[in-house]
Amino acid sequence: MLKPICLWACIILLCTGCWDTKEINQLAIVNLGGVDKNPETGTITAYYQVINPSGLSARLSGGQNAAVYTFHFKEYSLGKFTVKTNTLMPRQLFMPHMQAIIVTERYAKQGVLDLLNYYELSPERRSNIVFIVTESPLSTIMNSYTPLDRIPGRYIRSLTNLTGQGYTSGFEPIRMRDMIKSIYRRKPTVMPTIKYTSNRSADTTERLEEADVNKQSIVFTGGAVFIHGRMVGRFDIPTKLIFSLLNGDLITYVETVYLNGSMIDLEARDIQAERHWESGSGLTMKVHANLRVINNQQNIVMSEQNLHAIEEAFNKKLEEKAQSLLKLARQKNWDLLGLQDQGVEERKWRTFPVSFEISSSARMIGNTIGPYFFEKE
Amino acid sequence: MSGFDPVEPIVSEIKAVLGHSPDFICRKVVIQGLSHVYCMYLTTITDSSVIDELIVKPIKETSLQDNQSFKDSVSLLRASIPVPEKKQIASKDDPVKNILEGNCVIWDPSSQTLLVYCTAKNDYRSITEPSSEAVIRGPREGFLEDIESNVGLIRKRLKSSNLIFEEFSIGSATKTTIYMTYLANVADDAIVKEFRSRISAVQTDSILESAYMEEWIQDKTFSPFPQVLSTERPDAVAAKLIEGQVAVLTQGTPMVLVGPLTFFQMFSSPEDYYQRADIATLLRWLRMFSFLLAIFTPALYVAIVSFHQELLPTPLLINLAAQREEVPFPAIVEALIMIITFEILREAGLRMPRIAGQAISIVGALVIGQAAVEAGLVSAAMVIVVSLTAISNFISPLYSFGIAQRIIQFAFMLLSGVMGLFGLMCGVFFLLVHLVSIRSFGVKYMTPLAPVIVSDWKDTLVRIPHNWMKRPTGSLRTKKGRR
């Protein structure tokens, strides 16, 4: 009698695994999340953009159904949202496939430490998602369909993957985990900012029939500067690039210089930013870049002298930008070069001498050694 | 002339022992009216023309007067009958055994002697290509049901005086002839001794196929894995004998057992040695990969779809979710339905007459194909999983290994269905523990990986060119140092 009971007990023990089962078609696969926090009431609004698999499958739907549905919930505490979703969402919330999280500017300015802590505690959530700050209302962004890629989360992720190609590690350090890693550092973390090009959200699939993408679309505007998890200001895109370049993250970018009254576009490659600490003279940042002329509007035949002149112009331009960033850092009290993280005292870093030595070597590749032009008669 | 003389007690006794069988014949043959002998045989298993022409006729035509030089009638009979005599026997138990083997037993009442002549029928099919082990390049000969022919097929390939055949007669009812064969100058004595003792220890009433012997001599009864290689190919047996292995031939079956067998030998095919080494190596790796596919694909699918969706790339997750939208069953049930259906079709395909095979193919294609998907019973991905598993399963050169894969595949699938990847990992560990615990005639089953014998990798994990294979495999402890 004992043997069959033991056997049944063993089999039932095996079945405990079934408690964790979640069938794939019972999941609400969240692809994009959004959070806003009202500074006055403390109410948190969470948006979940859930994928509709059959809407995405052309075979099942003819390709016209909604690809995503957006749910939003309000609560006072982040931990209650998972339970709260059961009041409206007919499927189990499934967060591991979330591509990006968008927070409002007002929430970012209050500090997002609570959100970071919540993500770190939750095994269901991943911190390698792209962290974005929106300048437009969150509801407009979250309730809009996107062209080409019908899943907005993937649309944003694709855009950020493309921008990441010029970076050392192959991706821009804009994930939530990048912010978490630098949470105790004095150097600010710069996360991308976006806005919506229209006041009205594109909340039906009719938007996908329109050819004018710019009319209603998500666009990247620059960077939000975070120090210790709190947004303290903004960068435009060029400033963000120089910030990344001087901190050794960026290795490729395009710069425009003017020479002989004409515009020249240069692709700076293999950028190496090295720091040399010298007692007494402070920090010298040596930056070297290989330049490739990608657009030359000069009305002269390219020569070695001209290439050197281009190099000089680039060096000068980059040094100006670097000095400008240093000035901004001192002015705003943002340690953009991370001097304090490298041992400079808090009270001295603003006056700490920093100099830049920029060098470059230009090359011209193309079918012609100079542009086609006609002498003015 | 036919019939038997009731006054001869030995004839009566034999008749009684054989249960008055209607095919038992006892012919009284008179030698020139002076003497007589009795010819006893079973008509169903003897060649009547041999008996008539080469035994009865010469005896009848013998003249005692003309052969005065012979000192007795036995000598005279021996001189008269052109069929080679098998033996002379004395006791009364032996004639029955000999008669049952298809021999003709001659009883000479005058000298009270029994002579045995080989007159067994040789109604065996001709040598054909083995159906279960087809090759593109290589010999087309396969073993037969006749053990003597099989011995010939091996001897034809191994012209060595060291090729030893030891005979056993096993089965109280079948008295099946078993030959144990090995190359005395190569095979390890301990392995040969082990084979000999295991075959001698078999106590059974019947051996109708080599599988009976396999069950008796294998090391571990409760294991899905074959511990002895069974093959229809004489070239494969010859190759194994050269490597120092021992073969067991069974009367009445074309399947010959070869041992010891290790796990990685099951990935090699005789054809590996008939083509370029690099191609053979790639094919061997393909078989190993297919083994992994066969046992893991359905289990991984069930585990990931039911427990670990986060492991999937998002586009694949969306596709799978879209396919499973309308499927009413959990993934494990879906997988079980599909795989059991496929197993039924496969079994039906094997057992059904060949002419009905086409019908099975059509029904099979409908059942586990598009129709099942369109009916919403299973997802399209599941069809791919089952197809991939089934095809991978067929790649195994050894049919019994393919069956083992099916058993493991089901076990893994059930474990994945209840415990996800954790269950699957438990299954993998159990499997590894089981595999390393198996011995085949004293040789560790996972050799040369556990224990590691790097020198043996040349013909297990890869197949190096023949001219580099200077030494035989170390795991078999062969006598010869060089090949």
Side-chain angles (χ1 to χ4, degrees), chain A residues 84-278:
Chain A
K84 182 98 179 190
T85 55
N86 297 339
T87 56
L88 184 63
M89 211 181 270
R91 294 188 177 185
Q92 193 183 338
L93 191 71
F94 189 68
M95 299 294 281
H97 281 265
M98 197 159 87
Q99 302 292 326
I101 186 163
I102 302 173
V103 296
T104 55
E105 197 173 331
R106 64 175 182 175
Y107 182 20
K109 282 179 175 166
Q110 293 169 65
V112 291
L113 272 180
D114 53 347
L115 186 69
L116 302 184
N117 283 326
Y118 176 61
Y119 263 73
E120 286 289 80
L121 265 181
S122 169
E124 287 278 302
R125 289 166 175 79
R126 292 177 177 181
S127 59
N128 65 344
I129 52 172
V130 175
F131 188 95
I132 295 170
V133 178
T134 174
E135 297 169 13
S136 302
L138 191 58
S139 60
T140 313
I141 300 255
M142 295 301 294
N143 289 320
S144 294
Y145 286 105
T146 47
L148 285 180
D149 208 327
R150 297 175 64 204
I151 306 173
R154 210 159 63 185
Y155 177 88
I156 290 172
R157 192 71 185 225
S158 301
L159 281 172
T160 53
N161 284 349
L162 287 173
T163 59
Q165 286 172 2
Y167 284 79
T168 331
S169 51
F171 50 83
E172 213 179 332
I174 51 171
R175 295 165 304 172
M176 187 185 265
R177 61 177 294 191
D178 297 319
M179 195 198 286
I180 292 167
K181 276 196 313 196
S182 59
I183 201 85
Y184 290 116
R185 291 188 190 152
R186 303 297 178 96
K187 190 180 88 176
T189 315
V190 179
M191 293 294 169
T193 52
I194 54 168
K195 71 172 185 184
Y196 204 67
T197 53
S198 167
N199 292 329
R200 200 168 58 83
S201 61
D203 53 3
T204 66
T205 50
E206 285 171 14
R207 186 258 174 278
L208 302 174
E209 302 295 319
E210 285 185 20
D212 186 357
V213 171
N214 290 42
K215 201 167 117 186
Q216 283 179 303
S217 198
I218 294 168
V219 62
F220 280 78
T221 55
V225 182
F226 280 85
I227 297 176
H228 302 320
R230 183 189 296 274
M231 182 178 166
V232 291
R234 275 193 212 166
F235 275 165
D236 55 7
I237 289 175
T239 314
K240 190 179 147 193
L241 286 177
I242 296 301
F243 168 75
S244 301
L245 189 151
L246 292 178
N247 283 293
D249 294 330
L250 188 72
I251 49 169
T252 304
Y253 86 110
V254 176
E255 183 63 89
T256 303
V257 294
Y258 288 87
L259 195 66
N260 303 322
S262 302
M263 190 169 67
I264 302 162
D265 292 328
L266 299 165
E267 186 185 45
R269 289 173 164 185
D270 310 321
I271 302 170
Q272 291 171 334
E274 290 172 2
R275 296 183 178 204
H276 295 267
W277 300 87
E278 287 156 29

Side-chain angles (χ1 to χ4, degrees), chain A residues 14 17-18 21-25 27 29 31 51 53 56-57 60 91 94 96-97 99 126 151, chain B residues 305-307 309-310 312-315 317-318 320-325 327 330-331 417-419:
Chain A
L14 278 179
C18 301
T21 311
K22 42 185 191 295
E23 284 296 326
I24 207 165
N25 45 354
L27 302 176
I29 305 161
N31 203 249
I51 294 171
L56 273 168
S57 169
L60 295 176
R91 294 188 177 185
F94 189 68
H97 281 265
Q99 302 292 326
R126 292 177 177 181
I151 306 173
Chain B
V305 166
S306 305
F307 290 90
Q309 295 87 354
E310 60 276 5
L312 292 169
T314 309
L317 176 75
I318 295 166
L320 288 179
Q323 287 172 26
R324 289 193 48 77
E325 280 286 290
V327 177
V418 292
M419 289 190 286

Side-chain angles (χ1 to χ4, degrees), chain A residues 25-26, chain B residues 324-331 333-334 337 375-379:
Chain A
N25 45 354
Q26 294 168 353
Chain B
R324 289 193 48 77
E325 280 286 290
E326 305 302 326
V327 177
F329 307 111
V333 177
E334 188 193 0
I337 289 174
L377 292 176
V378 294
S379 60

Side-chain angles (χ1 to χ4, degrees), chain B residues 168 198 212 240 254 373 386 399 406:
Chain B
F168 300 85
R198 288 192 196 183
Y212 286 53
K240 296 289 178 193
V373 177
V386 171
Y399 184 71
R406 278 146 75 179

Side-chain angles (χ1 to χ4, degrees), chain B residues 33-104:
Chain B
L34 297 170
S35 177
H36 65 271
V37 292
Y38 294 93
C39 291
M40 293 171 282
Y41 54 91
L42 292 166
T43 51
T44 46
I45 55 170
T46 48
D47 192 336
S48 303
S49 61
V50 171
I51 293 172
D52 289 342
E53 295 296 322
L54 302 175
I55 295 178
V56 175
K57 198 176 168 188
I59 295 172
K60 281 163 73 179
E61 289 172 355
T62 303
S63 167
L64 285 175
Q65 284 77 16
D66 297 344
N67 295 289
Q68 290 298 333
S69 56
F70 293 102
K71 55 184 178 183
D72 55 22
S73 56
V74 174
S75 305
L76 175 65
L77 281 169
R78 282 181 176 152
S80 313
I81 299 171
V83 179
E85 183 192 341
K86 212 171 176 184
K87 55 191 165 185
Q88 180 180 335
I89 49 176
S91 74
K92 62 180 181 180
D93 291 332
D94 282 323
V96 176
K97 181 176 177 282
N98 282 287
I99 289 169
L100 287 170
E101 285 174 358
N103 298 319
C104 174

Side-chain angles (χ1 to χ4, degrees), chain B residues 8 12 32 51 53 58 116 166 182 185 215 232 313 351 385-386 417 432-433 478:
Chain B
E8 286 294 338
S12 309
Q32 295 289 318
I51 293 172
E53 295 296 322
V116 179
E166 291 183 18
Y182 54 92
N185 61 331
E215 278 193 32
E232 279 188 79
R351 308 279 164 246
V385 166
V386 171
L432 288 176
V433 168
T478 48

